[in-house]
Amino acid sequence: MSKLLRKILSAAIFPAALMIVSKVIGMAIANQLFDLGWSIRSDTGGVFSVQVIYPDVDSAVKCNSYSNLFMIICMLIGNAVHLFQGYFLHTSHQSPKVLIKLIQFDFILWLSDSDSIFPNMAVWLAFLWVSTIISLTQTLQGNTYPWVSVTALVSSIIVTWLAARDFEREINIYLPESGKLQVS
Amino acid sequence: MKALRKFLKQFGKFADPFLVMGIFVLFLIPVLTVLNLTPQTRPEYPESSVLGIGDENKVNFNPGATPQDGILVTRVSQNSDTSYSVEVKVSPQTTGSFSNDFFTASNTIEEDLRIQLQPSFQEFPDGTVISIVVDGIKFVLLDEEGNIYPPTINMVPGQDISAAIQIDNEINSNFEYQFTVDVTIE
């Protein structure tokens, strides 16, 4: 059984659940914040039987936009945690100075190796892009405010760039720019 | 335990496609759930599709009631929500053209409507053309040779029309006559 696939599978469970939960919580927050009237409709024609119904288009778009925003923020937080791990708590590129600081602040157990950081980072990044694509699609359909999708897109690009930089740094440890493979 | 490990080592690679499928499902479920959670708006059904609501508001039909040029709408009977019979009495007239208001109608729904006119005459003078004029367009009901035509008037949503009866006499008509126009709205 592939070790990488198992890692990806186990890493995907939490963000998948978070995506659903954050969407639901986002809708609840939007309903509460903007005092939107909503109801639930059963529709056996779709994949899921329950749909949330709003009396007018404005309310529906507002709720959808803010719940999408909340979902994307949750995905960004997950990505930020992994980027933080990748940049500051990665065993492969720690200077002794940083290691001492980590020991001082009792963060030494948070140190992670590449085997666990990169599959996690890739999975979280994939979920962030999935959320962004959903938001963009819904903007094109007129169900989400454009600024939400633009924010999501810009954030996703920045996070991807930061992750790529970290991954490149990791690659350079083993395969520096001279092209000669270093075996430690 | 050792046997299990051995088994997994030997046959574990066959589980890889299932792991890929599992990863795919883990991505698919939240996507479908989030798409399904996209708020919808309550559908607005057209009134005509709802049982128990009649079509009486489709067209506001107002027959003309004031006598003019010897033409008078004497009786309007509503046969159903969408059909009327309008009786018109015409007094003796000289040669020339005469007209009076027949009805006004407005389409109050979001669909095209058709107003069908079916005239019927017991008697009519020779050389008389009876028409309905709607917004300047003449729909002939009876021509000078006694042929009867059932015109159809189309109404787009929100359109208001006013129809007038026009009678063109080639010769004097020396007697009073009546005719009926059945108006059906579809």
Side-chain angles (χ1 to χ4, degrees):
Chain A
M1 212 184 291
S2 167
K3 212 173 166 183
L4 180 69
L5 287 177
R6 265 190 301 163
K7 275 196 173 165
I8 290 174
L9 187 70
S10 57
I13 294 169
F14 182 62
L18 183 70
M19 198 171 152
I20 298 169
V21 171
S22 60
K23 177 75 182 177
V24 174
I25 293 173
M27 287 173 80
I29 290 171
N31 289 341
Q32 194 70 30
L33 208 63
F34 302 108
D35 198 21
L36 304 173
W38 59 280
S39 58
I40 291 202
R41 180 177 68 182
S42 291
D43 180 13
T44 50
V47 180
F48 295 89
S49 59
V50 176
Q51 283 186 326
V52 184
I53 304 293
Y54 286 83
D56 55 272
V57 177
D58 283 350
S59 303
V61 172
K62 190 177 266 183
C63 175
N64 198 35
S65 302
Y66 284 96
S67 57
N68 278 354
L69 185 67
F70 186 75
M71 178 179 74
I72 286 158
I73 287 170
C74 288
M75 293 293 121
L76 278 172
I77 290 170
N79 275 281
V81 168
H82 286 93
L83 279 176
F84 180 79
Q85 261 190 323
Y87 274 84
F88 301 107
L89 303 169
H90 200 159
T91 49
S92 65
H93 43 74
Q94 287 310 338
S95 65
K97 263 187 184 177
V98 175
L99 279 174
I100 288 165
K101 286 271 178 205
L102 286 172
I103 291 165
Q104 266 181 353
F105 290 106
D106 214 10
F107 271 164
I108 197 72
L109 288 175
W110 283 41
L111 277 175
S112 306
D113 57 8
S114 306
D115 279 2
S116 64
I117 282 181
F118 287 116
N120 273 311
M121 208 185 267
V123 165
W124 276 91
L125 206 55
F127 274 100
L128 178 65
W129 274 105
V130 165
S131 308
T132 303
I133 288 166
I134 289 173
S135 184
L136 282 168
T137 312
Q138 290 184 338
T139 295
L140 292 176
Q141 291 169 341
N143 293 328
T144 300
Y145 297 140
W147 62 265
V148 173
S149 296
V150 170
T151 308
L153 186 64
V154 171
S155 311
S156 300
I157 290 169
I158 291 170
V159 169
T160 308
W161 174 64
L162 290 172
R165 272 192 63 188
D166 188 43
F167 188 67
E168 199 176 29
R169 199 164 54 148
E170 180 73 12
I171 295 268
N172 281 340
I173 292 170
Y174 301 105
L175 196 65
E177 281 177 18
S178 63
K180 285 180 184 170
L181 184 65
Q182 283 189 348
V183 181
S184 53
Chain B
M1 199 66 188
K2 202 175 172 185
L4 180 69
R5 216 172 290 150
K6 198 178 170 187
F7 176 81
L8 282 175
K9 201 175 177 184
Q10 266 191 322
F11 297 103
K13 60 188 170 195
F14 296 110
D16 287 354
F18 295 103
L19 287 179
V20 173
M21 215 160 73
I23 293 165
F24 176 72
V25 168
L26 271 178
F27 275 87
L28 190 69
I29 289 172
V31 169
L32 288 178
T33 310
V34 167
L35 288 177
N36 187 68
L37 282 171
T38 303
Q40 307 284 320
T41 46
R42 197 169 287 131
E44 288 177 9
Y45 299 105
E47 284 190 349
S48 56
S49 301
V50 180
L51 284 175
I53 293 181
D55 294 334
E56 64 267 26
N57 292 326
K58 266 186 175 179
V59 164
N60 293 323
F61 183 85
N62 300 305
T66 316
Q68 185 182 300
D69 283 355
I71 303 165
L72 175 64
V73 174
T74 53
R75 187 176 167 187
V76 178
S77 46
Q78 187 167 1
N79 306 321
S80 71
D81 284 343
T82 56
S83 71
Y84 303 81
S85 287
V86 186
E87 286 180 19
V88 182
K89 190 169 84 175
V90 185
S91 303
Q93 291 170 324
T94 57
T95 309
S97 187
F98 306 91
S99 71
N100 192 2
D101 294 337
F102 188 36
F103 66 84
T104 57
S106 42
N107 182 355
T108 58
I109 62 166
E110 297 294 316
E111 291 170 27
D112 285 358
L113 287 175
R114 293 191 311 162
I115 298 179
Q116 287 193 330
L117 304 174
Q118 180 63 59
S120 55
F121 297 85
Q122 296 287 331
E123 51 182 348
F124 49 85
D126 291 335
T128 294
V129 177
I130 300 177
S131 321
I132 298 289
V133 180
V134 179
D135 297 332
I137 300 166
K138 192 188 268 190
F139 297 88
V140 175
L141 301 179
L142 175 80
D143 67 11
E144 55 275 279
E145 291 168 0
N147 299 313
I148 296 169
Y149 302 95
T152 300
I153 301 161
N154 290 311
M155 290 182 78
V156 294
Q159 188 182 5
D160 298 327
I161 61 165
S162 54
I165 300 175
Q166 184 174 318
I167 299 177
D168 299 297
N169 296 320
E170 286 181 359
I171 52 172
N172 293 349
S173 71
N174 299 316
F175 61 95
E176 185 180 277
Y177 60 95
Q178 286 193 349
F179 63 91
T180 306
V181 181
D182 291 324
V183 181
T184 308
I185 299 150
E186 292 179 334

